[in-house]
Amino acid sequence: MTSDTAKAPEDGTTRRSMISARELTKTFGQGETAVTALDNVDIDIRENEFFTLLGPSGCGKTTLLRLIAGFELPTSGLIQLDGQDITALPPHVRPVNTVFQNYALFPHMTVSENIGFGLKMLGKSSGEIEARVKQMLSLVQLEAMANRRTDQLSGGQQQRVALARALAPAPKVLLLDEPLAALDLKLRKNMQIELKSLQAETGITFIFVTHDQEEALTMSDRIAVMRDGQILQIGTPKEIYDKPTHRFVADFIGDINILEAQVEGTEGDQTRVRLKDGTTMLARSTGADTQGHCAVALRPESIRVAQAGDTPALTGQLENLVYMGSAHNLHLRLGSGEELVVRHGGSTEGLDLSPGAQIGVVIAPGGARVLA
Amino acid sequence: MTDTSLTLAEQESRRRRRQTRRALLAPALIIILAISIMPLGITALYSFLTPGTYGGVIWEFTPDAYVQFLFERDIFDGTLQFNDSYLTIYMRSIGLAFGATIGALLIGFPTAYFIATKPREQRNFWLFLITLPFWTNLLIRTYAMLLILRDEGLINLSLMGVGVIERPLSILYTDTAVFIGLIYTYLPFMVLPLYASLEKLDFRLVEAGYDLYANRFRVLRHIIAPIAKPGIIAGCILVFIPGLGAYITPALLGGGKKLMIGNMIAIQFGSSRNWPFGSAAALILMALVVIALLIYARSVSKGARAHG
């Protein structure tokens, strides 16, 4: 397939597009009180992909999901599902199912009736429904709960019923609206792995909405980071983490140090920048417009404490030493007054880690990135 | 009281609390006894007595009133013959009340849904409009309805004005008029419980229904209606039971030609001067309603057990 967006796949896959949105805009309200929830969004989500829409609340990720489900109609723009224009179709004729944030299980039906509801509405025979419900119950390991009422289930079990109910009609796309938000941490971790393997097993395109960056990194094939109704970056978790193209993306995903700087000039694919305390360093260019003022992004794990013989790239005063179990986080105060967090993985023997000690650090090759 | 671990003081204070509770309940119990159970007892007693010639009762016990409900005593040989005229009135009343209940449900459900889906701060205004008719006396409202329904009334004049009909439809003094009147009178009793249950409805369930390939009608049938069932049933009971015993509406809009149970009973205490039969008719009506409610209650508890 041909993609006319600038965000062409970088991993070289040629899978066809399952969901394509073009210039999608959604405005709520009118006149002065109008709010633009989605601003001219282009997106291509591929077949058999675990795709995550990631962003803080109010970024438009849920609106995008609801437009795909058909609960809202776009103010302008186009949505295609598997090559077919579905922009104006009502939700009940779209081969798309949703797992709702609070599950929205039907309280007047048993677990089996909930799971079979979509099939019943599609007019399947009762034998077919029964067989499929059984299959779904075993898929989510709830065979024993078939005739329970939904209010007799735990949160995790309700979650599985919601999943089974949405998967039973074998939709082309499964939409998941923060489905793990209501679960406790341990259950959430388990469900993340289960969801991921369920996606691989069924081969259905999953579109997952979350504000939890860790969840997004763990589960997704690709992630779209959103803010203020726009998509800032689309890429694999590794691309998003290692090569953020936007300051917001870098800051939102994982821990990162962001230092203010001025562009001095370019040297190959590197940019020479001058930090506020006067030190200059080379940082990887990201193609963003970085004339004049810019920022340098440094992951804590791509910085290490300078050893004897190293030339420190930066020096700071140790303010805090935080024990993280497998590593120490060193909080340094730079000459510019900015804070720099360094993750020190090895042993601390032989290092002067007393409060106020001057500590030099070395940046791994390619570890510094220039952001607009 | 056998709990020996309690000190005497504790036992004393418990006893006193129990006494206080009884004293506080007493007014309510007395009122229930005086205005509910006693009149019922008197009615039951009267239904087994003999009618007095000028009204009232003569203290001679007889089941005649109940026999009279289904049979007629031949004036010549005194044999009993089956008489369905009272039964017919009951059937007509049940039919009219049932029809009015369905009509009120069909009008009341969209109304209640409309209010329940309004923004929270607007709902009270719409509920206020629903309860507005209660500010006016039922008799006056029924006369107003009479003016609307009559041959030169609002409906006929406007229909003739736009040329739909040439001659006025005679609605007044027919079953149709009684039917319309009953729906009008009892509609708020349908809307309010329906609203109460629809207001609690989680509209994400409606979305989930659409998402799972149900169209509007099927979402209504398979999701909204079952969840709103308690409200639907409460509304139906609140319309059907008073509708069954309605007096003013059939008296005014039915022109007194077409009797309903309420009018028939009133006549027994008035011009017919047969208090025992009036009492018996009232008790039979009550028995029918109670039986219907019991059947319903049983089917509900069965349904709940089947789910459990």
PDB file of all heavy atoms in Angstrom, chain A residues 66 71 92 94 96-98 102 104-106 108 118 121 165 169, chain B residues 204-205 207-215 218 222-223 226-227 307:
ATOM      1  N   ARG A  66     -13.068   7.008  19.835  1.00  0.00           N
ATOM      2  CA  ARG A  66     -14.524   7.076  19.696  1.00  0.00           C
ATOM      3  C   ARG A  66     -14.940   7.392  18.266  1.00  0.00           C
ATOM      4  O   ARG A  66     -16.007   6.985  17.817  1.00  0.00           O
ATOM      5  CB  ARG A  66     -15.103   8.105  20.667  1.00  0.00           C
ATOM      6  CG  ARG A  66     -15.008   7.664  22.133  1.00  0.00           C
ATOM      7  CD  ARG A  66     -15.460   8.747  23.102  1.00  0.00           C
ATOM      8  NE  ARG A  66     -16.854   9.086  22.917  1.00  0.00           N
ATOM      9  CZ  ARG A  66     -17.868   8.393  23.414  1.00  0.00           C
ATOM     10  NH1 ARG A  66     -17.629   7.331  24.144  1.00  0.00           N
ATOM     11  NH2 ARG A  66     -19.099   8.750  23.189  1.00  0.00           N
ATOM     12  N   PHE A  71     -18.883   6.328  17.817  1.00  0.00           N
ATOM     13  CA  PHE A  71     -19.712   6.973  18.838  1.00  0.00           C
ATOM     14  C   PHE A  71     -19.782   8.475  18.613  1.00  0.00           C
ATOM     15  O   PHE A  71     -20.702   9.139  19.063  1.00  0.00           O
ATOM     16  CB  PHE A  71     -19.163   6.697  20.243  1.00  0.00           C
ATOM     17  CG  PHE A  71     -19.119   5.244  20.575  1.00  0.00           C
ATOM     18  CD1 PHE A  71     -18.041   4.707  21.264  1.00  0.00           C
ATOM     19  CD2 PHE A  71     -20.139   4.395  20.200  1.00  0.00           C
ATOM     20  CE1 PHE A  71     -17.986   3.368  21.570  1.00  0.00           C
ATOM     21  CE2 PHE A  71     -20.095   3.048  20.503  1.00  0.00           C
ATOM     22  CZ  PHE A  71     -19.009   2.534  21.187  1.00  0.00           C
ATOM     23  N   HIS A  92     -23.138   0.447  14.935  1.00  0.00           N
ATOM     24  CA  HIS A  92     -23.577  -0.945  14.924  1.00  0.00           C
ATOM     25  C   HIS A  92     -23.344  -1.655  13.592  1.00  0.00           C
ATOM     26  O   HIS A  92     -23.602  -2.850  13.483  1.00  0.00           O
ATOM     27  CB  HIS A  92     -25.041  -1.072  15.375  1.00  0.00           C
ATOM     28  CG  HIS A  92     -26.036  -0.554  14.387  1.00  0.00           C
ATOM     29  ND1 HIS A  92     -26.491   0.739  14.402  1.00  0.00           N
ATOM     30  CD2 HIS A  92     -26.666  -1.157  13.362  1.00  0.00           C
ATOM     31  CE1 HIS A  92     -27.354   0.906  13.431  1.00  0.00           C
ATOM     32  NE2 HIS A  92     -27.481  -0.219  12.779  1.00  0.00           N
ATOM     33  N   ARG A  94     -20.245  -1.095  12.021  1.00  0.00           N
ATOM     34  CA  ARG A  94     -18.787  -1.131  11.860  1.00  0.00           C
ATOM     35  C   ARG A  94     -18.238  -2.424  12.461  1.00  0.00           C
ATOM     36  O   ARG A  94     -18.559  -2.746  13.600  1.00  0.00           O
ATOM     37  CB  ARG A  94     -18.135   0.054  12.579  1.00  0.00           C
ATOM     38  CG  ARG A  94     -18.573   1.390  12.040  1.00  0.00           C
ATOM     39  CD  ARG A  94     -17.757   2.505  12.660  1.00  0.00           C
ATOM     40  NE  ARG A  94     -18.280   3.793  12.198  1.00  0.00           N
ATOM     41  CZ  ARG A  94     -17.621   4.941  12.275  1.00  0.00           C
ATOM     42  NH1 ARG A  94     -16.421   4.959  12.800  1.00  0.00           N
ATOM     43  NH2 ARG A  94     -18.154   6.055  11.834  1.00  0.00           N
ATOM     44  N   VAL A  96     -16.030  -3.289  14.240  1.00  0.00           N
ATOM     45  CA  VAL A  96     -15.064  -2.804  15.217  1.00  0.00           C
ATOM     46  C   VAL A  96     -15.711  -2.982  16.580  1.00  0.00           C
ATOM     47  O   VAL A  96     -16.880  -2.681  16.738  1.00  0.00           O
ATOM     48  CB  VAL A  96     -14.807  -1.291  14.969  1.00  0.00           C
ATOM     49  CG1 VAL A  96     -14.050  -0.678  16.117  1.00  0.00           C
ATOM     50  CG2 VAL A  96     -14.086  -1.067  13.663  1.00  0.00           C
ATOM     51  N   ASN A  97     -14.994  -3.509  17.565  1.00  0.00           N
ATOM     52  CA  ASN A  97     -15.563  -3.643  18.902  1.00  0.00           C
ATOM     53  C   ASN A  97     -14.680  -2.934  19.917  1.00  0.00           C
ATOM     54  O   ASN A  97     -13.494  -2.735  19.694  1.00  0.00           O
ATOM     55  CB  ASN A  97     -15.738  -5.116  19.288  1.00  0.00           C
ATOM     56  CG  ASN A  97     -16.870  -5.769  18.515  1.00  0.00           C
ATOM     57  OD1 ASN A  97     -16.739  -6.860  18.026  1.00  0.00           O
ATOM     58  ND2 ASN A  97     -17.976  -5.054  18.368  1.00  0.00           N
ATOM     59  N   THR A  98     -15.302  -2.576  21.029  1.00  0.00           N
ATOM     60  CA  THR A  98     -14.622  -1.761  22.027  1.00  0.00           C
ATOM     61  C   THR A  98     -14.601  -2.465  23.383  1.00  0.00           C
ATOM     62  O   THR A  98     -15.593  -3.061  23.781  1.00  0.00           O
ATOM     63  CB  THR A  98     -15.353  -0.405  22.192  1.00  0.00           C
ATOM     64  OG1 THR A  98     -15.513   0.178  20.899  1.00  0.00           O
ATOM     65  CG2 THR A  98     -14.566   0.544  23.069  1.00  0.00           C
ATOM     66  N   ASN A 102     -14.648   1.223  31.900  1.00  0.00           N
ATOM     67  CA  ASN A 102     -15.260   0.592  33.071  1.00  0.00           C
ATOM     68  C   ASN A 102     -16.020  -0.664  32.673  1.00  0.00           C
ATOM     69  O   ASN A 102     -16.973  -1.049  33.319  1.00  0.00           O
ATOM     70  CB  ASN A 102     -16.154   1.582  33.794  1.00  0.00           C
ATOM     71  CG  ASN A 102     -15.353   2.736  34.331  1.00  0.00           C
ATOM     72  OD1 ASN A 102     -15.047   3.680  33.599  1.00  0.00           O
ATOM     73  ND2 ASN A 102     -14.966   2.641  35.581  1.00  0.00           N
ATOM     74  N   ALA A 104     -18.405  -1.670  31.096  1.00  0.00           N
ATOM     75  CA  ALA A 104     -19.777  -1.536  30.593  1.00  0.00           C
ATOM     76  C   ALA A 104     -20.406  -2.893  30.304  1.00  0.00           C
ATOM     77  O   ALA A 104     -21.020  -3.107  29.270  1.00  0.00           O
ATOM     78  CB  ALA A 104     -19.823  -0.646  29.344  1.00  0.00           C
ATOM     79  N   LEU A 105     -20.246  -3.829  31.241  1.00  0.00           N
ATOM     80  CA  LEU A 105     -20.907  -5.130  31.088  1.00  0.00           C
ATOM     81  C   LEU A 105     -22.398  -4.950  31.356  1.00  0.00           C
ATOM     82  O   LEU A 105     -22.789  -4.124  32.176  1.00  0.00           O
ATOM     83  CB  LEU A 105     -20.321  -6.141  32.073  1.00  0.00           C
ATOM     84  CG  LEU A 105     -18.841  -6.441  31.877  1.00  0.00           C
ATOM     85  CD1 LEU A 105     -18.361  -7.432  32.934  1.00  0.00           C
ATOM     86  CD2 LEU A 105     -18.568  -7.002  30.491  1.00  0.00           C
ATOM     87  N   PHE A 106     -23.224  -5.743  30.667  1.00  0.00           N
ATOM     88  CA  PHE A 106     -24.673  -5.628  30.852  1.00  0.00           C
ATOM     89  C   PHE A 106     -25.057  -6.290  32.171  1.00  0.00           C
ATOM     90  O   PHE A 106     -24.880  -7.496  32.338  1.00  0.00           O
ATOM     91  CB  PHE A 106     -25.406  -6.280  29.687  1.00  0.00           C
ATOM     92  CG  PHE A 106     -25.020  -5.696  28.354  1.00  0.00           C
ATOM     93  CD1 PHE A 106     -24.630  -6.503  27.309  1.00  0.00           C
ATOM     94  CD2 PHE A 106     -25.030  -4.318  28.159  1.00  0.00           C
ATOM     95  CE1 PHE A 106     -24.266  -5.963  26.083  1.00  0.00           C
ATOM     96  CE2 PHE A 106     -24.663  -3.768  26.948  1.00  0.00           C
ATOM     97  CZ  PHE A 106     -24.279  -4.595  25.907  1.00  0.00           C
ATOM     98  N   HIS A 108     -27.822  -7.064  33.501  1.00  0.00           N
ATOM     99  CA  HIS A 108     -28.974  -7.956  33.542  1.00  0.00           C
ATOM    100  C   HIS A 108     -28.702  -9.256  32.798  1.00  0.00           C
ATOM    101  O   HIS A 108     -29.625 -10.039  32.575  1.00  0.00           O
ATOM    102  CB  HIS A 108     -30.195  -7.251  32.971  1.00  0.00           C
ATOM    103  CG  HIS A 108     -29.978  -6.742  31.568  1.00  0.00           C
ATOM    104  ND1 HIS A 108     -29.089  -5.743  31.272  1.00  0.00           N
ATOM    105  CD2 HIS A 108     -30.527  -7.114  30.401  1.00  0.00           C
ATOM    106  CE1 HIS A 108     -29.103  -5.510  29.973  1.00  0.00           C
ATOM    107  NE2 HIS A 108     -29.967  -6.328  29.424  1.00  0.00           N
ATOM    108  N   GLY A 118     -23.056  -9.763  21.030  1.00  0.00           N
ATOM    109  CA  GLY A 118     -22.714  -9.272  19.697  1.00  0.00           C
ATOM    110  C   GLY A 118     -23.090 -10.265  18.609  1.00  0.00           C
ATOM    111  O   GLY A 118     -23.639  -9.897  17.562  1.00  0.00           O
ATOM    112  N   MET A 121     -26.799 -10.302  18.062  1.00  0.00           N
ATOM    113  CA  MET A 121     -27.240  -9.146  17.281  1.00  0.00           C
ATOM    114  C   MET A 121     -26.852  -9.297  15.811  1.00  0.00           C
ATOM    115  O   MET A 121     -27.493  -8.732  14.937  1.00  0.00           O
ATOM    116  CB  MET A 121     -26.621  -7.854  17.849  1.00  0.00           C
ATOM    117  CG  MET A 121     -27.132  -7.474  19.212  1.00  0.00           C
ATOM    118  SD  MET A 121     -28.919  -7.232  19.260  1.00  0.00           S
ATOM    119  CE  MET A 121     -29.431  -8.589  20.280  1.00  0.00           C
ATOM    120  N   ARG A 165     -16.172 -10.453  25.312  1.00  0.00           N
ATOM    121  CA  ARG A 165     -17.374  -9.959  24.651  1.00  0.00           C
ATOM    122  C   ARG A 165     -17.010  -9.191  23.381  1.00  0.00           C
ATOM    123  O   ARG A 165     -17.680  -9.305  22.358  1.00  0.00           O
ATOM    124  CB  ARG A 165     -18.145  -9.038  25.614  1.00  0.00           C
ATOM    125  CG  ARG A 165     -19.452  -8.528  25.036  1.00  0.00           C
ATOM    126  CD  ARG A 165     -20.195  -7.639  25.995  1.00  0.00           C
ATOM    127  NE  ARG A 165     -19.528  -6.352  26.167  1.00  0.00           N
ATOM    128  CZ  ARG A 165     -20.024  -5.347  26.890  1.00  0.00           C
ATOM    129  NH1 ARG A 165     -21.163  -5.495  27.524  1.00  0.00           N
ATOM    130  NH2 ARG A 165     -19.366  -4.214  27.008  1.00  0.00           N
ATOM    131  N   PRO A 169     -17.293 -11.456  18.381  1.00  0.00           N
ATOM    132  CA  PRO A 169     -17.743 -11.317  16.995  1.00  0.00           C
ATOM    133  C   PRO A 169     -16.591 -11.253  15.989  1.00  0.00           C
ATOM    134  O   PRO A 169     -16.836 -10.976  14.821  1.00  0.00           O
ATOM    135  CB  PRO A 169     -18.521  -9.990  17.008  1.00  0.00           C
ATOM    136  CG  PRO A 169     -18.691  -9.615  18.426  1.00  0.00           C
ATOM    137  CD  PRO A 169     -17.547 -10.214  19.148  1.00  0.00           C
TER     138      PRO A 169
ATOM    139  N   ARG B 204     -23.146   4.319  29.030  1.00  0.00           N
ATOM    140  CA  ARG B 204     -22.070   3.572  28.368  1.00  0.00           C
ATOM    141  C   ARG B 204     -22.564   2.190  27.942  1.00  0.00           C
ATOM    142  O   ARG B 204     -22.073   1.605  26.994  1.00  0.00           O
ATOM    143  CB  ARG B 204     -20.870   3.436  29.297  1.00  0.00           C
ATOM    144  CG  ARG B 204     -20.042   4.716  29.348  1.00  0.00           C
ATOM    145  CD  ARG B 204     -18.993   4.631  30.400  1.00  0.00           C
ATOM    146  NE  ARG B 204     -19.610   4.346  31.684  1.00  0.00           N
ATOM    147  CZ  ARG B 204     -18.964   4.428  32.838  1.00  0.00           C
ATOM    148  NH1 ARG B 204     -17.722   4.765  32.858  1.00  0.00           N
ATOM    149  NH2 ARG B 204     -19.578   4.156  33.971  1.00  0.00           N
ATOM    150  N   LEU B 205     -23.575   1.681  28.689  1.00  0.00           N
ATOM    151  CA  LEU B 205     -24.159   0.394  28.302  1.00  0.00           C
ATOM    152  C   LEU B 205     -24.867   0.514  26.965  1.00  0.00           C
ATOM    153  O   LEU B 205     -24.865  -0.417  26.157  1.00  0.00           O
ATOM    154  CB  LEU B 205     -25.146  -0.089  29.373  1.00  0.00           C
ATOM    155  CG  LEU B 205     -24.556  -0.375  30.747  1.00  0.00           C
ATOM    156  CD1 LEU B 205     -25.662  -0.784  31.708  1.00  0.00           C
ATOM    157  CD2 LEU B 205     -23.517  -1.468  30.652  1.00  0.00           C
ATOM    158  N   GLU B 207     -23.967   2.607  24.620  1.00  0.00           N
ATOM    159  CA  GLU B 207     -22.877   2.621  23.641  1.00  0.00           C
ATOM    160  C   GLU B 207     -22.346   1.218  23.392  1.00  0.00           C
ATOM    161  O   GLU B 207     -22.073   0.832  22.252  1.00  0.00           O
ATOM    162  CB  GLU B 207     -21.739   3.522  24.133  1.00  0.00           C
ATOM    163  CG  GLU B 207     -21.980   4.979  23.832  1.00  0.00           C
ATOM    164  CD  GLU B 207     -20.766   5.847  24.113  1.00  0.00           C
ATOM    165  OE1 GLU B 207     -19.778   5.350  24.681  1.00  0.00           O
ATOM    166  OE2 GLU B 207     -20.830   7.024  23.758  1.00  0.00           O
ATOM    167  N   ALA B 208     -22.201   0.457  24.476  1.00  0.00           N
ATOM    168  CA  ALA B 208     -21.708  -0.915  24.328  1.00  0.00           C
ATOM    169  C   ALA B 208     -22.666  -1.711  23.445  1.00  0.00           C
ATOM    170  O   ALA B 208     -22.231  -2.527  22.627  1.00  0.00           O
ATOM    171  CB  ALA B 208     -21.566  -1.576  25.697  1.00  0.00           C
ATOM    172  N   GLY B 209     -23.961  -1.473  23.592  1.00  0.00           N
ATOM    173  CA  GLY B 209     -24.950  -2.151  22.760  1.00  0.00           C
ATOM    174  C   GLY B 209     -24.787  -1.811  21.291  1.00  0.00           C
ATOM    175  O   GLY B 209     -24.738  -2.694  20.434  1.00  0.00           O
ATOM    176  N   TYR B 210     -24.651  -0.506  21.003  1.00  0.00           N
ATOM    177  CA  TYR B 210     -24.434  -0.094  19.610  1.00  0.00           C
ATOM    178  C   TYR B 210     -23.155  -0.716  19.070  1.00  0.00           C
ATOM    179  O   TYR B 210     -23.083  -1.153  17.927  1.00  0.00           O
ATOM    180  CB  TYR B 210     -24.306   1.431  19.516  1.00  0.00           C
ATOM    181  CG  TYR B 210     -25.606   2.185  19.672  1.00  0.00           C
ATOM    182  CD1 TYR B 210     -25.715   3.258  20.521  1.00  0.00           C
ATOM    183  CD2 TYR B 210     -26.732   1.811  18.940  1.00  0.00           C
ATOM    184  CE1 TYR B 210     -26.894   3.952  20.668  1.00  0.00           C
ATOM    185  CE2 TYR B 210     -27.920   2.504  19.081  1.00  0.00           C
ATOM    186  CZ  TYR B 210     -27.993   3.573  19.944  1.00  0.00           C
ATOM    187  OH  TYR B 210     -29.167   4.252  20.079  1.00  0.00           O
ATOM    188  N   ASP B 211     -22.139  -0.727  19.926  1.00  0.00           N
ATOM    189  CA  ASP B 211     -20.836  -1.247  19.514  1.00  0.00           C
ATOM    190  C   ASP B 211     -20.935  -2.721  19.136  1.00  0.00           C
ATOM    191  O   ASP B 211     -20.227  -3.197  18.255  1.00  0.00           O
ATOM    192  CB  ASP B 211     -19.853  -1.062  20.670  1.00  0.00           C
ATOM    193  CG  ASP B 211     -18.429  -1.387  20.262  1.00  0.00           C
ATOM    194  OD1 ASP B 211     -17.925  -0.704  19.357  1.00  0.00           O
ATOM    195  OD2 ASP B 211     -17.843  -2.319  20.827  1.00  0.00           O
ATOM    196  N   LEU B 212     -21.841  -3.443  19.825  1.00  0.00           N
ATOM    197  CA  LEU B 212     -21.986  -4.877  19.584  1.00  0.00           C
ATOM    198  C   LEU B 212     -23.129  -5.143  18.604  1.00  0.00           C
ATOM    199  O   LEU B 212     -23.893  -6.087  18.758  1.00  0.00           O
ATOM    200  CB  LEU B 212     -22.199  -5.622  20.903  1.00  0.00           C
ATOM    201  CG  LEU B 212     -20.951  -5.617  21.798  1.00  0.00           C
ATOM    202  CD1 LEU B 212     -21.315  -5.923  23.237  1.00  0.00           C
ATOM    203  CD2 LEU B 212     -19.929  -6.619  21.296  1.00  0.00           C
ATOM    204  N   TYR B 213     -23.257  -4.305  17.604  1.00  0.00           N
ATOM    205  CA  TYR B 213     -24.097  -4.539  16.431  1.00  0.00           C
ATOM    206  C   TYR B 213     -25.594  -4.471  16.692  1.00  0.00           C
ATOM    207  O   TYR B 213     -26.379  -4.999  15.910  1.00  0.00           O
ATOM    208  CB  TYR B 213     -23.730  -5.881  15.772  1.00  0.00           C
ATOM    209  CG  TYR B 213     -22.250  -6.046  15.595  1.00  0.00           C
ATOM    210  CD1 TYR B 213     -21.530  -6.949  16.362  1.00  0.00           C
ATOM    211  CD2 TYR B 213     -21.563  -5.262  14.672  1.00  0.00           C
ATOM    212  CE1 TYR B 213     -20.158  -7.070  16.220  1.00  0.00           C
ATOM    213  CE2 TYR B 213     -20.197  -5.377  14.523  1.00  0.00           C
ATOM    214  CZ  TYR B 213     -19.499  -6.275  15.297  1.00  0.00           C
ATOM    215  OH  TYR B 213     -18.145  -6.375  15.157  1.00  0.00           O
ATOM    216  N   ALA B 214     -26.013  -3.853  17.807  1.00  0.00           N
ATOM    217  CA  ALA B 214     -27.448  -3.680  18.037  1.00  0.00           C
ATOM    218  C   ALA B 214     -27.872  -2.320  17.482  1.00  0.00           C
ATOM    219  O   ALA B 214     -27.204  -1.317  17.740  1.00  0.00           O
ATOM    220  CB  ALA B 214     -27.756  -3.755  19.528  1.00  0.00           C
ATOM    221  N   ASN B 215     -28.968  -2.286  16.713  1.00  0.00           N
ATOM    222  CA  ASN B 215     -29.470  -0.998  16.241  1.00  0.00           C
ATOM    223  C   ASN B 215     -30.308  -0.356  17.357  1.00  0.00           C
ATOM    224  O   ASN B 215     -30.447  -0.922  18.435  1.00  0.00           O
ATOM    225  CB  ASN B 215     -30.261  -1.165  14.939  1.00  0.00           C
ATOM    226  CG  ASN B 215     -31.421  -2.133  15.090  1.00  0.00           C
ATOM    227  OD1 ASN B 215     -31.925  -2.323  16.194  1.00  0.00           O
ATOM    228  ND2 ASN B 215     -31.836  -2.743  14.008  1.00  0.00           N
ATOM    229  N   ARG B 218     -33.054  -2.484  18.933  1.00  0.00           N
ATOM    230  CA  ARG B 218     -32.564  -3.624  19.712  1.00  0.00           C
ATOM    231  C   ARG B 218     -31.860  -3.184  20.983  1.00  0.00           C
ATOM    232  O   ARG B 218     -31.893  -3.891  21.996  1.00  0.00           O
ATOM    233  CB  ARG B 218     -31.650  -4.473  18.848  1.00  0.00           C
ATOM    234  CG  ARG B 218     -32.466  -5.187  17.784  1.00  0.00           C
ATOM    235  CD  ARG B 218     -31.582  -5.873  16.818  1.00  0.00           C
ATOM    236  NE  ARG B 218     -31.960  -7.264  16.683  1.00  0.00           N
ATOM    237  CZ  ARG B 218     -31.214  -8.142  16.043  1.00  0.00           C
ATOM    238  NH1 ARG B 218     -30.061  -7.801  15.533  1.00  0.00           N
ATOM    239  NH2 ARG B 218     -31.619  -9.387  15.936  1.00  0.00           N
ATOM    240  N   HIS B 222     -33.165  -4.838  24.210  1.00  0.00           N
ATOM    241  CA  HIS B 222     -32.304  -5.781  24.919  1.00  0.00           C
ATOM    242  C   HIS B 222     -31.515  -5.156  26.059  1.00  0.00           C
ATOM    243  O   HIS B 222     -30.984  -5.862  26.906  1.00  0.00           O
ATOM    244  CB  HIS B 222     -31.320  -6.432  23.946  1.00  0.00           C
ATOM    245  CG  HIS B 222     -31.981  -7.324  22.941  1.00  0.00           C
ATOM    246  ND1 HIS B 222     -32.503  -8.552  23.279  1.00  0.00           N
ATOM    247  CD2 HIS B 222     -32.225  -7.162  21.629  1.00  0.00           C
ATOM    248  CE1 HIS B 222     -33.031  -9.106  22.209  1.00  0.00           C
ATOM    249  NE2 HIS B 222     -32.871  -8.285  21.185  1.00  0.00           N
ATOM    250  N   ILE B 223     -31.377  -3.834  26.054  1.00  0.00           N
ATOM    251  CA  ILE B 223     -30.538  -3.223  27.090  1.00  0.00           C
ATOM    252  C   ILE B 223     -31.325  -2.224  27.934  1.00  0.00           C
ATOM    253  O   ILE B 223     -31.428  -2.387  29.149  1.00  0.00           O
ATOM    254  CB  ILE B 223     -29.301  -2.559  26.459  1.00  0.00           C
ATOM    255  CG1 ILE B 223     -28.427  -3.656  25.871  1.00  0.00           C
ATOM    256  CG2 ILE B 223     -28.515  -1.773  27.496  1.00  0.00           C
ATOM    257  CD1 ILE B 223     -27.445  -3.197  24.870  1.00  0.00           C
ATOM    258  N   PRO B 226     -34.789  -3.877  29.687  1.00  0.00           N
ATOM    259  CA  PRO B 226     -34.578  -4.774  30.833  1.00  0.00           C
ATOM    260  C   PRO B 226     -34.003  -4.065  32.057  1.00  0.00           C
ATOM    261  O   PRO B 226     -34.364  -4.382  33.189  1.00  0.00           O
ATOM    262  CB  PRO B 226     -33.567  -5.799  30.307  1.00  0.00           C
ATOM    263  CG  PRO B 226     -33.652  -5.713  28.838  1.00  0.00           C
ATOM    264  CD  PRO B 226     -34.065  -4.327  28.501  1.00  0.00           C
ATOM    265  N   ILE B 227     -33.136  -3.083  31.825  1.00  0.00           N
ATOM    266  CA  ILE B 227     -32.528  -2.399  32.967  1.00  0.00           C
ATOM    267  C   ILE B 227     -33.549  -1.460  33.616  1.00  0.00           C
ATOM    268  O   ILE B 227     -33.564  -1.288  34.831  1.00  0.00           O
ATOM    269  CB  ILE B 227     -31.251  -1.653  32.531  1.00  0.00           C
ATOM    270  CG1 ILE B 227     -30.194  -2.672  32.115  1.00  0.00           C
ATOM    271  CG2 ILE B 227     -30.724  -0.773  33.650  1.00  0.00           C
ATOM    272  CD1 ILE B 227     -28.950  -2.084  31.521  1.00  0.00           C
ATOM    273  N   HIS B 307     -31.589 -16.380  38.043  1.00  0.00           N
ATOM    274  CA  HIS B 307     -30.337 -15.684  37.728  1.00  0.00           C
ATOM    275  C   HIS B 307     -29.252 -16.008  38.727  1.00  0.00           C
ATOM    276  O   HIS B 307     -28.069 -15.974  38.421  1.00  0.00           O
ATOM    277  CB  HIS B 307     -30.571 -14.174  37.704  1.00  0.00           C
ATOM    278  CG  HIS B 307     -30.652 -13.624  36.331  1.00  0.00           C
ATOM    279  ND1 HIS B 307     -29.570 -13.651  35.492  1.00  0.00           N
ATOM    280  CD2 HIS B 307     -31.657 -13.066  35.637  1.00  0.00           C
ATOM    281  CE1 HIS B 307     -29.924 -13.122  34.342  1.00  0.00           C
ATOM    282  NE2 HIS B 307     -31.180 -12.762  34.408  1.00  0.00           N
TER     283      HIS B 307
END
